[in-house]
Amino acid sequence: MRFWIVTAATLAATGPACAQDISIKPLIEGRTRYEHVDQDGIAAASDAVTIRLRGGVEATRGAWSILGEAQGNLAVVDKYYDGLHGVADRPVIGDPENAAIYRAQIRYRSQPFTVTAGRQRIALDDERFVGAAGFRNNGQTYDAVRTEIVPRKGVKLDVVYAWNVRTIWGTDGRGFRQRGVSGDNVLANLSTTTPLGTLTGFAYLVDQDEAVVQGYRLSNQNYGARLAGARPLAPGVKLNYQFSYARQSDYHRNPNRYQADYWLADGALDIGNWTLNAGYEVLGAGNGNALTSFQTPLGSVFKFQGWADKFTTNPPNGLHDLYVGGSHSWKKIGKIDLFSLQALYHRFESDRLNQHYGDVINLLATVKVKKTAISARYARYEADRFATDTTKMWLQVDWTY
């Protein structure tokens, strides 16, 4: 309700301004994907062929813009458990059929002040704490007011108040997989450019104020800092790096009382068309009880801890992720604009009790031709002390107008 009140009030206030010269930009994108999941302990594999379409329009006049966009996800082949419908006799593929408003927002943009109100897509920093879950077909959006202030070059204050988080489970979401999770979320960061890179301090107050969503135990407060930068080392050679630290504790109605730490050190070396990267990420444990370890319920989890998605919820004993990988790309091969290959290996261990959870290998091949991207992915999780062996494969075509 607050979403519609804020949007309607802002539209009413700006109506006269929007009655003059207006530029119209269509928003159209499509995705077709085949996903296969074979998981030990579940007799049948999952196979899904889905088609996701998004369409809308953005109208702009001067500093003002209004954007409306709808999305639909259709399962052409539905031999999978989508997390909501049917019997859980196959592995979960989190792309339930859905038709909904994806974005509906109004924005005022000037220098140095931007305000966006309504249902919107938000991705902060590397999306570890706040993201759009872009890999899943239904995505994740926020009913929110976002204010961005750039008082001078190289300094930015970004503050979001979100009263509802629209999840990847779509309009049929229910139980602990709600279609939307209400709460008074305050997401703020202040960044500045330094000689070493962009330094960001952040405070993310996450309020998962729904009893069915883990009994409020995903509500947390996070305070930390992040440094991301790059350094040329020689002609054609560049070092990219990022370091993060955060401290998390319980927030609002969370019945748990805990504290946990987060650490990240990541580096990537670009040598011509090659990239070699390695990193170490720690999501600390609290007292060893469920949901007292470091949790990121608003993050884009597919980007982290391997594509097998075995750690969407951090285990009670925390998680250490050591990863190494590399990629190579070729540009302008005939009609192909870009062709790239990537491989990444993760080793997972606990933060307490010295447990080896398992290992995962990620493989990715991507071809881009103009506005079309074709990709093939593979992920294999070999379990030791956590979860079960799992194999996933994807074939995907994305197109954007």
Side-chain angles (χ1 to χ4, degrees):
M1 179 62 70
R2 276 179 289 182
F3 160 68
W4 295 113
I5 291 174
V6 169
T7 304
T10 314
L11 284 170
T14 60
C18 295
Q20 301 176 15
D21 295 338
I22 298 175
S23 64
I24 302 295
K25 176 184 176 181
L27 305 170
I28 305 171
E29 63 174 86
R31 170 187 288 172
T32 300
R33 178 160 67 205
Y34 166 68
E35 182 168 350
H36 169 84
V37 182
D38 189 354
Q39 181 175 321
D40 280 11
I42 302 179
S46 279
D47 290 284
V49 176
T50 55
I51 297 175
R52 197 275 307 281
L53 295 175
R54 286 180 183 155
V57 65
E58 183 178 21
T60 302
R61 181 190 182 278
W64 293 94
S65 66
I66 300 174
L67 185 153
E69 185 178 22
Q71 71 174 5
N73 183 54
L74 174 67
V76 179
V77 175
D78 61 355
K79 294 182 178 179
Y80 69 103
Y81 178 53
D82 66 11
L84 300 174
H85 307 98
V87 181
D89 57 348
R90 296 174 184 267
V92 173
I93 294 178
D95 288 329
E97 289 191 310
N98 180 51
I101 295 172
Y102 180 59
R103 290 187 291 171
Q105 67 184 49
I106 186 164
R107 172 177 290 166
Y108 175 81
R109 184 192 298 275
S110 69
Q111 185 61 257
F113 185 72
T114 301
V115 177
T116 308
R119 183 162 300 163
Q120 55 192 283
R121 185 168 53 210
I122 298 175
L124 299 180
D125 299 322
D126 60 354
E127 300 191 61
R128 191 57 173 110
F129 292 87
V130 181
F135 185 76
R136 297 270 52 113
N137 281 347
N138 294 320
Q140 178 171 273
T141 54
Y142 301 78
D143 294 343
V145 175
R146 181 181 187 181
T147 302
E148 300 167 79
I149 302 173
V150 183
R152 63 182 181 86
K153 184 177 180 180
V155 177
K156 180 180 179 181
L157 174 64
D158 195 336
V159 180
V160 176
Y161 168 67
W163 58 88
N164 188 39
V165 180
R166 301 285 296 190
T167 74
I168 66 169
W169 303 110
T171 54
D172 290 341
R174 59 185 180 274
F176 67 93
R177 293 174 173 143
Q178 290 282 299
R179 67 177 180 176
V181 182
S182 62
D184 296 315
N185 302 276
V186 178
L187 315 168
N189 69 36
L190 176 63
S191 61
T192 182
T193 302
T194 75
L196 295 176
T198 300
L199 178 63
T200 304
F202 56 83
Y204 300 141
L205 310 182
V206 178
D207 184 15
Q208 299 271 281
D209 199 17
E210 298 284 353
V212 293
V213 182
Q214 305 290 0
Y216 310 111
R217 293 183 297 166
L218 287 175
S219 295
N220 55 58
Q221 51 187 325
N222 308 270
Y223 304 94
R226 179 175 185 266
L227 175 67
R231 273 282 184 275
L233 302 180
V237 180
K238 182 175 69 172
L239 175 65
N240 304 279
Y241 50 84
Q242 55 178 322
F243 305 96
S244 295
Y245 169 77
R247 181 74 163 173
Q248 183 178 99
S249 59
D250 51 279
Y251 181 64
H252 200 199
R253 300 172 70 174
N254 191 333
N256 288 330
R257 295 294 177 263
Y258 76 100
Q259 291 185 332
D261 293 321
Y262 171 85
W263 297 87
L264 171 68
D266 178 276
L269 188 64
D270 294 335
I271 307 174
N273 292 330
W274 287 91
T275 297
L276 305 175
N277 67 297
Y280 192 67
E281 186 178 43
V282 175
L283 288 84
N287 56 32
N289 293 326
L291 299 177
T292 63
S293 54
F294 204 100
Q295 305 293 333
T296 58
L298 302 187
S300 295
V301 294
F302 184 81
K303 294 178 63 177
F304 304 91
Q305 274 85 57
W307 300 330
D309 270 350
K310 308 309 290 187
F311 299 96
T312 54
T313 299
N314 193 19
N317 290 320
L319 177 66
H320 290 201
D321 177 11
L322 173 65
Y323 56 90
V324 294
S327 64
H328 187 73
S329 61
W330 297 262
K331 295 181 179 179
K332 294 298 180 182
I333 305 174
K335 294 184 178 180
I336 296 175
D337 296 320
L338 178 69
F339 174 53
S340 65
L341 297 173
Q342 177 184 340
L344 191 64
Y345 164 79
H346 294 259
R347 178 178 176 84
F348 303 112
E349 296 184 345
S350 64
D351 186 51
R352 60 191 298 273
L353 303 185
N354 195 31
Q355 297 175 334
H356 174 229
Y357 289 147
D359 307 276
V360 71
I361 182 72
N362 292 341
L363 301 174
L364 171 64
T366 304
V367 175
K368 294 183 179 180
V369 180
K370 295 183 179 180
K371 297 179 180 181
T372 301
I374 304 170
S375 61
R377 294 178 189 259
Y378 171 88
R380 172 64 180 173
Y381 177 74
E382 296 284 350
D384 186 358
R385 302 285 296 278
F386 184 83
T388 57
D389 293 352
T390 301
T391 300
K392 294 189 176 186
M393 292 181 286
W394 301 264
L395 292 174
Q396 180 170 316
V397 179
D398 288 283
W399 177 84
T400 303
Y401 175 78

